[in-house]
Structure formats: C-alpha cells, structure tokens
Amino acid sequence: MEAERLLLAISTNFINLDTNEVDNGVRQTLRALGRYMQVDRCYTLQFDRPNHTLSVSNEWSADGIVPLGGSLGITPVKALPWLFARLSEGEAVNISDVAKLPAEAAAEREFLGAGSSKSVLLVPMIYNKMLVGALGLDNVRKPAAWPDDTYVILKLAGETLVDALERKRADNAVRES
C-alpha cells in the first residue's frame, strides 16, 4: 500500500511540472525512492547516443555516502560491455553482490567496485523504443538482494522519470533552435 502511495505521489508530481523544474522534481523523486527502499544511493544515468557514453544526470545519496557521480564521470559504454548489453536489450541489471560478478563482467566488477558499490539494481529507461538511460539503486555499506517488488517500483518510477526528462530535453531543443 505504501509503495502505491509513493508511485502515485511521484507521477502526480510530474503532471503539471514546468520543464525548468524537472531536475528538482527528479532529485525529490530519487530522495523519496532512496529513503523508501533504504538504499545508499538512487540515481539516473543518461546515455549520450552520439558520444556513446553514460553519466550520472541526477543523484541522491544517504547521509555519509559519497555520491556516485564523482567516481563515474563520463564513461564510454564500450568500457562496460556486459552491463550495457543488458540495458540495451531492455533488461534490468540486478547485482546482489558486485564482488561475485562473473568473469565476463570483470570490467563492471572493477568499475562498480571503484564507486564502492556492493549491490546494484538498474532498470533501463526507454523512450520511443530507444535506450536513453537507466534508473539505479545501490548499496555501499553491504551487499543486499533486490526483491521483485523493488524492481517493479523502480521500473514504474523510471517510466515516469523518462517521460519528464525527455519532455525537458525536447523543450530545451526547441528553445535552442
């Protein structure tokens, strides 16, 4: 019941939100999701198609947790082939223990470990059948399994966020032209 209220509040927040307020709305959503799910970080990754890079576009971190954006920076997707292949196929990436990633995900194990991530859950953010980013959670204090309801909540919240972020991007493109 509380998850339904959270998702209703998230979607309602974006209905009449002006595009110049979207980033603030996204940050509020990430904070609400992070606190509700009791995780260390909650963030959106943005996929830059022309440059083939991923970067943190918005983030919330629990008190005392170093934000992921500083360690991630702008990362070429070819540096994370295992991860990016799954996101590109529309699959969620559910890693309960980064240290136990398989050999084919060695680059991701090293990369996520550098950001102190112990557990990661990423859901792809798809717009017009194209990957535009991901909504993610992670824990840095201890590994944790991600229950199915966490995935469902994150997926539904991601759909709301991608619509708002793409509306903002389109509005900015119109202003620039």
Side-chain angles (χ1 to χ4, degrees):
M1 186 64 131
E2 192 167 329
E4 292 168 351
R5 281 194 288 265
L6 173 67
L7 290 168
L8 180 62
I10 289 169
S11 62
T12 303
N13 183 43
F14 286 98
I15 289 174
N16 295 315
L17 199 62
D18 192 68
T19 53
N20 64 352
E21 299 171 332
V22 166
D23 284 335
N24 188 46
V26 170
R27 284 188 294 275
Q28 290 174 2
T29 296
L30 297 176
R31 182 177 61 241
L33 284 168
R35 288 180 175 166
Y36 174 77
M37 296 184 187
Q38 300 177 359
V39 297
D40 293 327
R41 294 187 286 228
C42 187
Y43 46 87
T44 56
L45 297 177
Q46 180 179 347
F47 172 50
D48 182 343
R49 188 166 300 282
N51 296 317
H52 298 282
T53 59
L54 282 173
S55 60
V56 174
S57 54
N58 290 286
E59 180 174 14
W60 169 85
S61 297
D63 290 339
I65 301 298
V66 176
L68 182 63
S71 64
L72 181 63
I74 298 174
T75 304
V77 296
K78 67 182 178 185
L80 305 170
W82 180 86
L83 179 86
F84 193 71
R86 277 147 185 78
L87 291 175
S88 294
E89 292 295 319
E91 295 177 28
V93 177
N94 185 340
I95 305 168
S96 58
D97 190 343
V98 169
K100 294 180 180 176
L101 278 169
E104 64 266 20
E108 287 78 1
R109 184 174 50 245
E110 181 179 330
F111 178 79
L112 294 169
S116 301
S117 299
K118 302 266 192 279
S119 301
V120 177
L121 177 61
L122 294 168
V123 295
M125 292 171 50
I126 308 288
Y127 191 79
N128 287 337
K129 299 181 182 179
M130 292 177 37
L131 179 68
V132 296
L135 176 58
L137 304 172
D138 73 16
N139 282 321
V140 301
R141 295 176 244 227
K142 62 182 176 167
W146 303 107
D148 289 343
D149 64 333
T150 300
Y151 162 77
V152 171
I153 293 167
L154 205 60
K155 183 177 183 331
L156 293 171
E159 290 170 1
T160 300
L161 292 179
V162 75
D163 286 341
L165 290 167
E166 287 299 307
R167 184 171 47 96
K168 177 188 171 203
R169 186 196 57 75
D171 188 54
N172 287 344
V174 168
R175 286 184 202 176
E176 288 176 12
S177 67

